[in-house]
Amino acid sequence: MVKYRIKMNAVFHALAHDARREMLHRLALKDLTVGELAAPLSMSLPAASKHIIVLQRAGLIRRTISGRNHLCSLEPGPLASVSSWLQFYERFWNERLDALVDLMQPTPKKRDPK
């Protein structure tokens, strides 16, 4: 259980930065080199590499090295765990909001039989 929480914390930490979310989005489309990941984000290769290390530690990407090329690919497994965790709270809040809507509905007036 503790290991699961540590892994979940690493995934949420990785998702907390917009540059890393952008990297994941682009990796969902195709595998990219570190340079290709860094280019549209206007960051240096060392900065991009630090973000990639965070994503790797969270298990969200895999980096393979071929000569001087470091190719990154998406590992979506940890995202499924996060998604199922979030779905619990989505159901929770939907039920709460449904109950609130029910409370806000006007109650029909009872007719007085005369």
Side-chain angles (χ1 to χ4, degrees):
M1 182 69 160
V2 172
K3 211 174 194 184
Y4 173 76
R5 274 191 254 155
I6 291 170
K7 193 67 165 173
M8 186 77 72
N9 290 344
V11 173
F12 277 114
H13 172 72
L15 296 174
H17 196 283
D18 60 337
R20 292 191 290 264
R21 289 191 306 271
E22 175 63 26
M23 287 178 172
L24 290 176
H25 177 74
R26 292 179 45 238
L27 287 172
L29 303 173
K30 66 178 183 174
D31 295 351
L32 298 167
T33 65
V34 173
E36 291 169 332
L37 283 171
L41 299 173
S42 301
M43 67 175 58
S44 66
L45 288 178
S49 189
K50 287 180 183 180
H51 285 295
I52 290 167
I53 289 169
V54 172
L55 293 167
Q56 279 181 276
R57 287 184 181 150
L60 292 167
I61 66 167
R62 179 174 18 114
R63 185 180 353 192
T64 55
I65 302 169
S66 176
R68 295 186 72 186
N69 289 328
H70 291 232
L71 190 64
C72 300
S73 55
L74 179 66
E75 290 290 330
L79 292 174
S81 301
V82 169
S83 178
S84 65
W85 186 84
L86 289 171
Q87 284 175 0
F88 169 81
Y89 291 98
E90 181 181 12
R91 284 190 303 274
F92 172 82
W93 283 111
N94 283 337
E95 289 171 7
R96 299 287 181 172
L97 290 172
D98 289 346
L100 180 61
V101 167
D102 290 344
L103 284 172
M104 300 301 289
Q105 295 295 328
T107 55
K109 294 182 180 180
K110 294 187 179 186
R111 294 186 185 214
D112 233 358
K114 288 186 183 182

